[in-house]
């Protein structure tokens, strides 16, 4: 590893060993960046993975990729990245690509705060691309956690692409207490049951704007009667979804919909989303596939369309 960790001379991380060295050389206000793609295949960590520490305030991937992480265990928790606490309670991650990351355990968290008491830390992701396969065996849920960011982390995504292939023992938030702006989530999710209790929604207490979600959500083992996608406090602006559903009877999508938002009802097989909260402001239009692809029609609804031909 080269560099001194300052803004003008960041630590340059070029290997898996360098990633783990962040735990000792990093710290408050430190700058780090990737100097090369990092492939875990052929390293000692391929067989014996250890949680990767992010011990810096600024982590710039420079468009490089960390790939080929494989973790499988029957019990316990897997935390792929541990975000060390900053005195500013803010961490910035930009230009990072993660691909072919597989993790299976009782509980799985992609980014988790190293500190589990006190104030939550803000982690800002900008222009990142993530692709994960997650297998979570636990059939319960926890109010403190989400798949993407675990406890005591409030994530903010902008200009990000997130591909998630999940098999879960129960529903749990994908993103909690965060923001999703100008970003795309592609979700392929199979769920064995819908956990009871609060905060089982996939999108929880999150502000979503100029973003969209695609993919398929499937109930397996036995049909799930009630499945909750969003809680009533999440806010949506200029948002749409193209989601397919299978093995789910009643689908609840609460939220405060400011400005026109819509979903493709043809792909959803003409489902109508129900509301669990009667106080929810609900203007979530179900449109045909043709209407979803018609810029003039969308603009007439008040949806902001940019970059179309």
């Amino acid at each position: 590893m080269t560099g001194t960790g300052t803004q003008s001379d960041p630590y340059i991380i070029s290997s898996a060993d360098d990633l783990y060295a962040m735990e000792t050389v990093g710290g408050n206000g430190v700058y780090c960046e990737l100097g090369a793609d990092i492939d875990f295949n052929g390293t000692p960590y391929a067989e014996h993975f250890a949680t990767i520490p992010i011990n810096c305030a600024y982590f710039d991937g420079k468009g490089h990729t960390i790939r080929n992480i494989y973790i499988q265990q029957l019990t316990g928790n897997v935390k792929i990245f541990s975000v060390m606490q900053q005195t500013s309670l803010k961490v910035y991650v930009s230009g990072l690509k993660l691909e072919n990351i597989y993790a299976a355990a009782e509980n799985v968290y992609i980014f988790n705060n190293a500190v589990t008491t006190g104030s939550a830390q803000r982690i800002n992701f900008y222009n990142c691309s993530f692709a994960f396969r997650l297998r979570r065996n636990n059939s319960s849920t926890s109010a403190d956690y989400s798949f993407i960011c675990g406890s005591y982390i409030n994530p903010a995504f902008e200009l990000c692409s997130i591909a998630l292939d999940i098999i879960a023992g129960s529903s749990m938030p994908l993103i909690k207490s965060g923001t999703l702006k100008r970003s795309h989530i592609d979700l392929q999710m199979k769920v064995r049951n819908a956990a009871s209790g609060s905060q089982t929604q996939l999108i929880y207490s999150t502000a979503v704007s100029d973003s969209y979600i695609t993919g398929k959500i499937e109930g397996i083992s036995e049909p799930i009667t009630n499945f909750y996608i969003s809680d009533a406090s999440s806010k949506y602006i200029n948002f749409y979804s193209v989601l397919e559903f299978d093995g789910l009877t009643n689908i609840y999508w609460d939220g405060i919909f400011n400005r026109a938002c819509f979903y493709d009802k043809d792909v959803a097989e003409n489902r109508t989303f129900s509301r669990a909260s009667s106080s929810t402001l609900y203007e979530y239009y179900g449109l045909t596939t043709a209407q979803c692809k018609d810029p003039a029609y969308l603009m007439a609804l008040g949806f902001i369309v940019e970059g179309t031909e």
Side-chain angles (χ1 to χ4, degrees), residues 222-277:
E222 60 184 39
I224 296 175
T225 303
N226 298 316
F227 190 85
Y228 300 84
I229 294 180
S230 172
D231 74 315
S233 67
S234 289
K235 298 178 176 64
Y236 298 86
I237 301 174
N238 227 55
F239 163 81
Y240 71 92
S241 71
V242 183
L243 285 172
E244 182 181 356
F245 301 95
D246 189 21
L248 308 175
T249 305
N250 300 314
I251 303 172
Y252 295 88
W253 198 318
D254 286 323
I256 302 169
F257 290 84
N258 296 308
R259 197 178 294 278
C261 299
F262 66 92
Y263 65 93
D264 190 319
K265 68 178 183 179
D266 289 346
V267 174
E269 296 183 339
N270 288 312
R271 290 177 181 266
T272 300
F273 297 120
S274 301
R275 283 182 293 167
S277 171

Side-chain angles (χ1 to χ4, degrees), residues 168-297:
S170 66
S171 55
M172 192 174 80
L174 298 175
I175 179 171
K176 176 181 178 290
S177 300
T179 63
L180 189 71
K181 183 178 181 181
R182 296 190 294 168
S183 296
H184 171 214
I185 293 178
D186 183 72
L187 175 64
Q188 305 295 325
M189 187 175 193
K190 295 182 179 180
V191 187
R192 292 191 180 91
N193 65 74
S196 60
S198 64
Q199 302 191 24
T200 61
Q201 299 90 344
L202 300 186
I203 300 171
Y204 190 88
S205 192
T206 292
V208 182
S209 62
D210 301 310
S211 299
Y212 64 107
I213 297 178
T214 58
K216 182 177 182 178
I217 302 174
E218 181 180 354
I220 57 177
S221 298
E222 60 184 39
I224 296 175
T225 303
N226 298 316
F227 190 85
Y228 300 84
I229 294 180
S230 172
D231 74 315
S233 67
S234 289
K235 298 178 176 64
Y236 298 86
I237 301 174
N238 227 55
F239 163 81
Y240 71 92
S241 71
V242 183
L243 285 172
E244 182 181 356
F245 301 95
D246 189 21
L248 308 175
T249 305
N250 300 314
I251 303 172
Y252 295 88
W253 198 318
D254 286 323
I256 302 169
F257 290 84
N258 296 308
R259 197 178 294 278
C261 299
F262 66 92
Y263 65 93
D264 190 319
K265 68 178 183 179
D266 289 346
V267 174
E269 296 183 339
N270 288 312
R271 290 177 181 266
T272 300
F273 297 120
S274 301
R275 283 182 293 167
S277 171
S278 60
S279 63
T280 299
L281 175 62
Y282 200 75
E283 294 182 1
Y284 193 28
Y285 298 100
L287 307 182
T288 66
T289 300
Q291 290 169 334
C292 290
K293 296 180 178 181
D294 186 340
Y297 184 86

Side-chain angles (χ1 to χ4, degrees), residues 52-126:
I52 300 169
I54 297 181
N55 190 19
C56 58
Y58 302 89
F59 189 94
D60 190 347
K62 289 293 182 182
H64 291 297
T65 302
I66 299 173
R67 59 169 57 92
N68 296 330
I69 293 175
Y70 183 89
I71 316 155
Q72 183 160 336
Q73 59 188 55
L74 295 177
T75 60
N77 300 337
V78 163
K79 302 169 184 178
I80 301 174
F81 294 92
S82 180
V83 184
M84 315 299 277
Q85 195 85 358
Q86 296 287 307
T87 54
S88 65
L89 296 179
K90 294 180 181 178
V91 176
Y92 298 86
V93 178
S94 63
L96 177 63
K97 296 181 180 179
L98 302 171
E99 69 178 28
N100 198 27
I101 313 294
Y102 175 91
E106 186 175 2
N107 293 296
V108 178
Y109 315 109
I110 299 174
F111 295 92
N112 197 70
N113 206 337
V115 176
T116 56
T117 59
S119 301
Q121 185 164 218
R122 185 78 166 183
I123 182 165
N124 298 276
F125 297 96
Y126 181 81

